[in-house]
Amino acid sequence: MTSPAEIPSYLQVVALPRECGPVLVPSAYEDENGHMNIRHYFDLEAQAIAVVFDRMGITDDYRATRGQGFFTAEHHIRYYAEVHVGDHVSVHARIVERSDKVVHAMAFLVDDTTERLASTLEVTATHVDLTSRRVVPFAADVADAVDRERAGTDIGWPAPVCGAIGVRTRAAR
């Protein structure tokens, strides 16, 4: 589990590719507690991870021609700071690790107005055959695309993973 000292700074996060935003938080995003509702953190962060997967070639064309895609197996969201109506937010993302069938990715929602990390979303996604609905290994070109993406976002600080999810080896199950 990540301690507060291990949470990346705003400047560290914004060095990652921005996948979503900046977005001005509208009043429709506010909940009864006076800050952005949890569903909007999740939607923005999930959108950013989808952009990364598209960049890796996991598109509608990939699903149609290969009959394969990714299913989210687990996700974990953490909140570090409130976001309010009128703030500008952006989402940055990185690939944490992969196996031959699973990708562990993270999205980082930052409040550009306050220059703080507001939330993280961790996702483990399994590569599946869309006909059998079973997990299958990546083709070499997909593995290479994931590795290129990971290398491009490995910028010298550890991802603040929750420790509850990630790529698991068979021996660890």
Side-chain angles (χ1 to χ4, degrees):
M1 188 168 212
T2 306
S3 71
E6 296 169 326
I7 297 169
S9 71
Y10 173 82
L11 291 176
Q12 287 174 307
V13 173
V14 299
L16 292 167
R18 182 173 51 205
E19 310 298 354
C20 177
V23 172
L24 177 65
V25 176
S27 60
Y29 283 18
E30 188 174 53
D31 69 10
E32 60 278 358
N33 295 312
H35 54 219
M36 188 166 75
N37 187 279
I38 61 173
R39 78 174 148 266
H40 303 295
Y41 289 86
F42 181 80
D43 286 345
L44 292 167
E45 290 168 324
Q47 177 184 342
I49 289 175
V51 169
V52 172
F53 277 47
D54 282 351
R55 189 169 51 242
M56 292 186 311
I58 311 304
T59 62
D60 287 341
D61 183 59
Y62 178 85
R63 287 180 281 279
T65 60
R66 295 198 189 186
Q68 297 177 338
F70 278 95
F71 287 176
T72 299
E74 296 180 276
H75 66 265
H76 182 88
I77 194 165
R78 293 171 73 183
Y79 303 95
Y80 303 103
E82 291 181 277
V83 172
H84 296 100
V85 170
D87 288 353
H88 286 89
V89 296
S90 298
V91 187
H92 303 260
R94 73 188 284 187
I95 301 296
V96 177
E97 63 180 326
R98 78 160 179 91
S99 69
D100 65 332
K101 300 175 185 176
V102 178
V103 172
H104 183 188
M106 285 191 80
F108 301 82
L109 187 141
V110 294
D111 186 327
D112 295 311
T113 303
T114 62
E115 296 189 347
R116 295 182 70 187
L117 174 63
S119 176
T120 56
L121 172 66
E122 281 183 76
V123 173
T124 55
T126 58
H127 189 248
V128 296
D129 178 293
L130 295 173
T131 301
S132 70
R133 313 306 265 190
R134 297 205 178 262
V135 178
V136 296
F138 306 125
D141 63 321
V142 176
D144 289 346
V146 175
D147 291 342
R148 278 192 307 277
E149 186 68 34
R150 182 176 179 209
T153 59
D154 186 7
I155 58 172
W157 48 272
V161 297
C162 68
I165 69 173
V167 175
R168 294 180 181 92
T169 63
R170 186 169 297 281
R173 288 186 204 158

